Amino acid sequence: MQPRIGFVSLGCPKNLVDSEHILTQLRLEGYDIVSSYAGADLVIVNTCGFINSAIEESLATIAEALKENGRVLVTGCLGTKDDQIRKLHPQVLGITGPHAADALLQQVHTQLPRPEHNPFVNLVPKQGIKLTPKHYAYLKISEGCNHHCSFCIIPSLRGELVSRPIEEVLDEAERLVAAGIRELLIISQDTSAYGVDIRYRTTFWRGQPLASKLLVLCQQLGEMGLWVRLHYVYPYPHVDALIPLMSESRLLAYLDIPFQHASPRILKLMQRPGQAERTLERIQQWRQICPELVIRSTFIVGFPGETEAEFEQLLDWMQQAQLDRVGCFIYSPVDGASANTLPDPVPEEIKQDRYNRFMLVQQAISKTRLQQRIGQITQVLIDEVDDEGAVGRSYAEAPESMAWCI
């Protein structure tokens, strides 16, 4: 019998892609993957460490794995906080950080020696092991982030921006298409920054020179005959060039852009781009080029120093922007974030009140935007079929939408 490994993947889609890579390598080495603690010889927990609630979930999952199995390796973003993990769970067999697959595999080999196996019997699909349904997949184009937003610790967890070579990304996309994938969800920490770190290096793919730029990548993906959806897009000026591809149906008319706030002063404190008025103009221009464009975003309320006037400014901006789907977070300190030292924290009851008011405003906006679509005929992608019928999504809905996103 082959050695058996249980695997728990927590956190964001980027972490899910890391889990897929690890699982693929384990299967290539002959390990069996099982879905229960009881049936596993070893358990790996791929953790999230971004916000306090995610840290709590990760620590609780490690505790559960130790209780139910006892032989546990920890990896992922929380792995950068080795002392915190070992203080609560000294029994863990090993800890590695994010995108440290090689180090994790070495720990696996130590705890559960690599089996002898025939790779021609234990076949792994060309596209690798996927944790998403058969019809869609995440395609990660870069790792890390060059921004240092004051509320965020991603650069300390995952490092600076590292873009994948464009030919490598396109090769993976082709394998996914050949496997029957009908929707690619393009992800990274900062999708718009793709290629910056490698100075938009030009390489050859299928005999043609291609610059490592988001526009060029999207042009090539848009020729593959499937839905291509962009996530985690910063509103850099060059994003404007993507909108014509959406109007030509080469990309889905969908943008996921975390605007975070509308007050220039708060955006400056967040260390985010602060041209909110210019952003409104660009949204209007995008919709003139591509009227069916759907925009999803996230915002933070109750950031340190946020005044009532600045919150009202955000609500007014929302009314003008008329975004389709919006998620809202109540600000909370994150260990290691520079925003923790900012003065004038907003009282908890005011944070909650602002969250409630924000969501009421967005509910009305979303309702209006959805009513405008009544009577339209649109293509849908079927996610599931059961005895009662089918559940599908149009281009306007990403899979696994956040529960707090309206």
Side-chain angles (χ1 to χ4, degrees):
M1 181 181 292
Q2 301 297 96
R4 298 161 299 178
I5 294 178
F7 200 99
V8 182
S9 183
L10 303 172
C12 66
K14 295 175 285 294
N15 215 38
L16 185 76
V17 172
D18 291 345
S19 294
E20 292 173 339
H21 174 71
I22 294 166
L23 288 168
T24 298
Q25 191 57 44
L26 289 170
R27 288 294 294 124
L28 286 170
E29 293 185 0
Y31 294 95
D32 281 343
I33 309 301
V34 297
S35 58
S36 69
Y37 290 128
D41 300 308
L42 181 70
V43 174
I44 299 172
V45 180
N46 191 8
T47 60
C48 179
F50 179 41
I51 57 178
N52 291 339
S53 60
I55 292 173
E56 291 170 2
E57 180 187 21
S58 293
L59 291 172
T61 303
I62 295 168
E64 179 182 75
L66 286 168
K67 179 182 177 181
E68 298 296 330
N69 182 280
R71 306 191 69 231
V72 178
L73 293 175
V74 176
T75 191
C77 288
L78 190 59
T80 61
K81 300 179 180 180
D82 185 293
D83 293 344
Q84 184 177 358
I85 296 172
R86 292 198 180 279
K87 182 178 179 180
L88 289 175
H89 304 301
Q91 314 97 303
V92 297
L93 300 175
I95 299 173
T96 52
H99 51 86
D102 291 343
L104 172 63
L105 289 168
Q106 289 177 6
Q107 292 183 354
V108 171
H109 298 157
T110 300
Q111 300 298 330
L112 203 59
R114 184 171 177 172
E116 293 184 7
H117 79 292
N118 184 342
F120 297 103
V121 174
N122 299 313
L123 297 177
V124 175
K126 287 185 178 180
Q127 72 274 18
I129 303 298
K130 292 297 170 186
L131 298 176
T132 48
K134 293 188 295 184
H135 58 288
Y136 70 81
Y138 293 102
L139 179 62
K140 185 159 64 170
I141 64 173
S142 66
E143 185 59 83
C145 183
N146 286 346
H147 290 283
H148 293 274
C149 301
S150 63
F151 56 83
C152 180
I153 57 171
I154 290 297
S156 66
L157 295 177
R158 289 186 167 266
E160 299 292 307
L161 176 71
V162 178
S163 299
R164 295 176 64 190
I166 191 169
E167 69 275 17
E168 180 182 303
V169 176
L170 292 172
D171 283 343
E172 181 178 354
E174 281 199 332
R175 290 194 298 272
L176 291 169
V177 172
I181 294 297
R182 303 304 305 147
E183 179 180 17
L184 285 178
L185 299 105
I186 310 305
I187 60 170
S188 65
Q189 204 59 50
D190 178 4
T191 297
S192 307
Y194 175 71
V196 169
D197 57 307
I198 53 178
R199 299 184 180 182
Y200 307 115
R201 183 173 61 231
T202 296
T203 56
F204 282 83
W205 185 74
R206 301 289 183 266
Q208 58 180 323
L210 298 177
S212 298
K213 293 183 176 181
L214 183 60
L215 176 61
V216 176
L217 177 62
C218 288
Q219 287 171 335
Q220 295 299 315
L221 293 174
E223 299 298 320
M224 293 189 179
L226 76 171
W227 282 9
V228 179
R229 187 184 302 273
L230 299 179
H231 287 271
Y232 310 111
V233 177
Y234 270 71
Y236 300 136
H238 65 262
V239 171
D240 295 354
L242 300 175
I243 308 303
L245 297 181
M246 296 179 181
S247 68
E248 298 165 3
S249 299
R250 295 168 69 185
L251 296 177
L252 289 184
Y254 179 99
L255 278 177
D256 175 10
I257 304 180
F259 291 119
Q260 306 297 16
H261 213 280
S263 161
R265 190 184 76 88
I266 294 297
L267 286 168
K268 186 175 181 180
L269 289 174
M270 290 179 171
Q271 297 176 208
R272 302 277 297 183
Q275 297 180 328
E277 290 301 320
R278 174 63 181 139
T279 301
L280 282 175
E281 294 175 11
R282 292 175 66 203
I283 290 173
Q284 293 172 358
Q285 292 169 1
W286 295 344
R287 285 176 170 155
Q288 289 173 358
I289 298 170
C290 185
E292 64 273 24
L293 177 65
V294 166
I295 301 176
R296 179 196 184 276
S297 190
T298 52
F299 293 83
I300 298 173
V301 297
F303 192 79
E306 181 190 59
T307 65
E308 178 63 22
E310 287 166 332
F311 176 68
E312 291 285 350
Q313 184 178 12
L314 171 59
L315 295 184
D316 180 66
W317 190 93
M318 297 295 296
Q319 293 284 13
Q320 296 181 67
Q322 293 288 296
L323 304 180
D324 298 88
R325 285 179 170 76
V326 169
C328 183
F329 295 90
I330 297 175
Y331 172 79
S332 62
V334 175
D335 289 344
S338 60
N340 298 349
T341 63
L342 291 174
D344 304 319
V346 178
E348 292 300 322
E349 62 273 16
I350 294 180
K351 289 182 187 178
Q352 187 64 52
D353 176 69
R354 289 177 181 172
Y355 171 84
N356 294 340
R357 291 158 59 194
F358 179 97
M359 296 307 285
L360 282 174
V361 168
Q362 182 56 38
Q363 283 172 0
I365 293 170
S366 291
K367 182 178 180 180
T368 299
R369 298 288 296 175
L370 289 170
Q371 286 175 334
Q372 293 170 358
R373 298 177 62 196
I374 293 175
Q376 294 181 358
I377 298 175
T378 186
Q379 185 181 48
V380 297
L381 191 64
I382 300 300
D383 279 335
E384 59 181 85
V385 179
D386 57 27
D387 294 339
E388 297 181 358
V391 177
R393 294 178 289 108
S394 75
Y395 77 93
E397 294 90 33
E400 301 177 357
S401 296
M402 303 294 189
W404 54 82
C405 179
I406 307 172

